[in-house]
Amino acid sequence: MFEITYSSKNLKMKGDMNINGSCWRSMFKNPAIVKGFPILVRSNGERGLEIPLNMMAGLGMTDQVITFGNGLILKGFSSMFVPVKCSKESVQWHFIFNEDISNVDEGRISYLEADKRCSSRLSSEALDSSFLEAARHIVGWSSSVEMLTGTKDIGYENIEYSGSEYATAGCALENVSLTAGKYVNLGATFAKGNKDSPLYLARASVYEMQIRSAGRLNVVLYDVVDHRGWLVDGANALLHLACKRLSLLSHDPITPTSLLKLSEFQYVNANPGDGKRVAALALIDKENRRLPIFEEIETWEEKTLTDRNGAEKIELKETKKVWRFQHLVEETWRILEQIHDHQARLLSAPGVGLRGTDRDKL
């Protein structure tokens, strides 16, 4: 004989049920949550309600997975489940439904709502129907995210080469080369006065103007393993690439740089509301810009006359040039700028098949 006691309390809903992985609550009238109930480990950051596929179909009043457009949908008459993320063992779904229940006869939800209300919908290439039977299914989707580019949480030392294939013949960007450039040897130094600079040349800091210009670009960072793209502004992309290069230089087993102290780099804090601004601030931070990475030493011999008889004295002189974080960012910006302008040129060229909707381009 066992006696089971329990207590219950009402949970107040905070905000919209379509955010923070809570869309599953709309599947039930009075859901009950058992605090402390053991669940399987979720190793890929899944959020929401784990539920068998057949139970999802039953609650959605459907028995078929449909391919519509360029992706799978589990659709009933007035509701549907849209896949938004896929890992090696699980599928993350977003639950949407027709909220207008005033007219039952016209309560049908359109297939078009999948793309309209779920911009991160998975394509058929990323999720095949044969995977659904063996996968874990979790209902929950978040429309707000934390921007982790440039933060310690991203684990830059774990990011590896993408392994993507080289572009084949016929690619729109065939024969396009990207270079970091070569520094011009200026020879003798000279001073440039304000009167020597025309108005179209920037008077402000060129570096800071580069960061502002990057912030106005849109960049897609694509994960070739999960087949997911992340749309970020150029400043965040620039910071992300620069931090990865710092990590590579710091952990290089062959030619490590002893000058670089990665612990002194000021990473940004995740900020879901203003990620663009904090990325730019990290890039223009004076301490970050001055962070030394490695130094180049140039040596030369200098001959001088020591007396009237023409005796020569040979001195060995050297100069040290320190390559800093700012130089790394500037070098990365040149590559990013070239990629953007090459694509802009192709988009404006007649007969180039790089047009289409924003979703198709992504």
Side-chain angles (χ1 to χ4, degrees):
M1 180 71 66
F2 295 93
E3 180 181 357
I4 300 176
T5 60
Y6 68 92
S7 60
S8 62
K9 65 177 181 179
N10 293 326
L11 297 178
K12 293 183 179 180
M13 182 62 196
K14 296 182 179 180
D16 188 353
M17 283 194 290
N18 287 322
I19 64 174
N20 299 327
S22 301
C23 61
W24 62 268
R25 299 187 188 185
S26 300
M27 297 163 53
F28 307 96
K29 184 178 181 180
N30 295 305
I33 301 175
V34 180
K35 185 177 181 180
F37 187 84
I39 62 174
L40 294 176
V41 174
R42 300 180 181 182
S43 56
N44 296 289
E46 300 94 339
R47 299 187 65 180
L49 173 69
E50 183 168 358
I51 186 172
L53 183 62
N54 63 330
M55 192 176 294
M56 281 176 55
L59 292 170
M61 302 182 69
T62 183
D63 58 2
Q64 290 185 341
V65 176
I66 304 294
T67 299
F68 184 84
N70 190 33
L72 300 176
I73 296 176
L74 185 61
K75 182 184 178 300
F77 179 74
S78 59
S79 63
M80 72 172 73
F81 297 89
V82 183
V84 293
K85 184 180 179 181
C86 179
S87 66
K88 294 181 179 179
E89 60 180 21
S90 68
V91 179
Q92 188 100 29
W93 300 80
H94 179 40
F95 177 69
I96 59 178
F97 62 99
N98 189 342
E99 301 180 21
D100 184 9
I101 59 174
S102 58
N103 190 333
V104 177
D105 295 331
E106 298 181 1
R108 186 184 78 88
I109 188 169
S110 169
Y111 281 100
L112 303 178
E113 293 294 313
D115 286 324
K116 185 183 298 184
R117 296 166 60 179
C118 193
S119 58
S120 57
R121 176 190 176 194
L122 285 182
S123 66
S124 299
E125 297 178 354
L127 177 62
D128 187 81
S129 58
S130 60
F131 178 67
L132 297 181
E133 294 186 5
R136 298 169 62 185
H137 298 276
I138 299 173
V139 181
W141 178 75
S142 177
S143 60
S144 61
V145 297
E146 282 186 332
M147 186 74 75
L148 296 180
T149 50
T151 67
K152 289 184 177 180
D153 299 331
I154 208 165
Y156 283 100
E157 68 279 2
N158 299 322
I159 299 178
E160 300 178 353
Y161 171 62
S162 66
S164 57
E165 299 178 356
Y166 290 102
T168 57
C171 172
L173 291 173
E174 185 182 9
N175 298 326
V176 169
S177 62
L178 304 172
T179 63
K182 182 179 179 181
Y183 287 102
V184 176
N185 188 357
L186 297 177
T189 59
F190 67 96
K192 183 179 65 173
N194 289 335
K195 66 181 182 63
D196 301 315
S197 300
L199 293 177
Y200 59 81
L201 291 182
R203 296 292 179 87
S205 167
V206 174
Y207 177 77
E208 293 185 9
M209 292 188 68
Q210 289 173 342
I211 304 305
R212 293 193 188 99
S213 182
R216 291 190 288 268
L217 302 182
N218 292 321
V219 178
V220 176
L221 304 174
Y222 189 73
D223 190 327
V224 296
V225 176
D226 292 338
H227 299 284
R228 290 175 62 84
W230 304 94
L231 180 63
V232 299
D233 64 275
N236 269 285
L238 199 57
L239 178 62
H240 181 67
L241 295 171
C243 285
K244 176 54 187 173
R245 293 187 65 186
L246 278 181
S247 178
L248 286 174
L249 292 169
S250 177
H251 298 91
D252 191 336
I254 300 176
T255 57
T257 168
S258 59
L259 194 61
L260 173 60
K261 300 294 187 290
L262 198 56
S263 59
E264 297 179 1
F265 183 76
Q266 301 297 318
Y267 289 94
V268 302
N269 295 319
N271 190 332
D274 203 4
K276 181 177 180 179
R277 188 180 69 88
V278 296
L281 290 177
L283 289 168
I284 64 176
D285 180 83
K286 291 184 178 180
E287 295 300 321
N288 282 346
R289 291 168 64 175
R290 288 195 291 258
L291 182 71
I293 299 177
F294 56 80
E295 62 182 11
E296 297 178 353
I297 301 177
E298 295 182 359
T299 59
W300 72 93
E301 291 182 352
E302 187 173 288
K303 297 180 180 180
T304 57
L305 295 175
T306 58
D307 53 38
R308 295 180 179 179
N309 297 325
E312 292 184 345
K313 179 181 179 182
I314 300 177
E315 286 187 88
L316 187 64
K317 295 189 176 183
E318 67 177 28
T319 59
K320 293 182 180 180
K321 295 182 179 179
V322 180
W323 202 66
R324 303 180 184 275
F325 178 73
Q326 175 174 330
H327 301 125
L328 184 148
V329 173
E330 289 174 332
E331 187 176 276
T332 308
W333 160 249
R334 294 188 192 100
I335 298 294
L336 188 63
E337 184 184 26
Q338 290 178 63
I339 293 174
H340 174 270
D341 288 353
H342 277 304
Q343 183 173 345
R345 176 177 58 84
L346 288 170
L347 287 171
S348 61
V352 177
L354 201 62
R355 303 183 187 277
T357 64
D358 290 340
R359 180 176 178 83
D360 291 336
K361 293 174 187 176
L362 294 178

